[in-house]
Amino acid sequence: MRKGVRLLAVSLVGLLCATSALAQQRGLTDGQIRSAEVEVPRLVEQLELEPGATVADVGAGFGAWTVRFAGWTGEAGHVYATEIGDRQLAFLRETAEQDRLANVTVIEGAVDDTNLPDACCDAILARDAFHHFTEPAAMIESLAAALRPGGRLAIIDFPPLENSSVPEGVPADRGGHGVPPEVVEREIGAVLTHESTTLEWSSRGPGRSLFLVVFRKP
């Protein structure tokens, strides 16, 4: 391993450990941090990203994927982290300040708008978020507007849980807590070009899998 790459890997481990200790106080688990460590390199490959890219983490939660993307993009890149929850926004801002993540911008979103700048992103990730959208059509338009031409949108989510209820305000066609991948393909595919669907992207627990659907802006 080259010295520069080795130093970057060491610094990322230290950053994630520090973030882990703080994050656990706010509800982020070691499992989520480990998932981000595994998924981000795979997403970089899947989305054909290069260092220096601009990425958005929509519905960033407590920032495990944001931190990992920030380390990967480097100083020449940028990461937007959007959230609507006050606790999550406060934690994201605290993490960015404490860990001196100068390439991270935290944005307060809305139920019908990411509030991302137009054409700002090479890629957008919405992980475990789409099934919460109460205004999916407006959010899809906002996500598409934030992508640069050729940019990609990655949706990671899970099929409806058995015997579960649709969250309040979410369209009934989700069929429970979650969302069928074919609904994601249909709704976003009306605006962006569907590129691929991976039904077994990662594990959500025993017998449960997350899927990945990738779209591209023409």
Side-chain angles (χ1 to χ4, degrees):
M1 182 183 293
R2 298 192 307 273
K3 182 178 180 181
V5 175
R6 184 169 59 249
L7 290 174
L8 176 59
V10 170
S11 65
L12 279 174
V13 170
L15 174 59
L16 288 166
C17 288
T19 303
S20 174
L22 184 58
Q24 286 176 353
Q25 302 173 20
R26 307 292 181 86
L28 187 63
T29 67
D30 283 339
Q32 289 171 313
I33 294 171
R34 286 194 297 271
S35 292
E37 292 176 2
V38 171
E39 287 186 7
V40 167
R42 295 175 63 201
L43 285 167
V44 166
E45 181 177 357
Q46 185 86 31
L47 304 177
E48 300 181 5
L49 293 173
E50 298 290 340
T54 298
V55 180
D57 185 5
V58 171
F62 294 109
W65 281 259
T66 296
V67 169
R68 192 69 179 177
F69 271 122
W72 177 83
T73 60
E75 294 180 359
H78 202 82
V79 179
Y80 292 97
T82 81
E83 253 299 339
I84 61 173
D86 290 339
R87 289 178 62 244
Q88 290 90 333
L89 284 165
F91 180 73
L92 288 166
R93 291 178 178 127
E94 184 178 356
T95 299
E97 180 178 0
Q98 175 175 304
D99 295 321
R100 300 179 182 179
L101 301 178
N103 62 343
V104 171
T105 298
V106 178
I107 294 178
E108 182 175 2
V111 296
D112 59 353
D113 198 331
T114 64
N115 288 331
L116 289 165
D118 286 346
C120 65
C121 290
D122 299 297
I124 299 174
L125 170 66
R127 188 186 190 279
D128 207 13
F130 191 88
H131 73 273
H132 287 296
F133 289 171
T134 57
E135 301 289 341
M139 283 296 290
I140 290 167
E141 291 291 344
S142 179
L143 289 163
L147 283 173
R148 295 169 179 159
R152 288 179 170 87
L153 169 64
I155 302 294
I156 298 176
D157 223 305
F158 57 89
L161 302 176
E162 188 176 354
N163 299 320
S164 64
S165 299
V166 176
E168 184 178 357
V170 173
D173 65 354
R174 276 46 179 161
H177 185 195
V179 60
E182 55 268 25
V183 169
V184 176
E185 293 169 351
R186 182 182 72 246
E187 293 186 358
I188 301 181
V191 179
L192 299 172
T193 301
H194 174 239
E195 282 204 331
S196 64
T197 298
T198 305
L199 294 179
E200 302 288 335
W201 169 253
S202 63
S203 174
R204 193 172 181 268
R208 297 179 180 177
S209 295
L210 291 161
F211 61 80
L212 166 70
V213 190
V214 176
F215 303 86
R216 184 177 183 274
K217 185 172 183 176

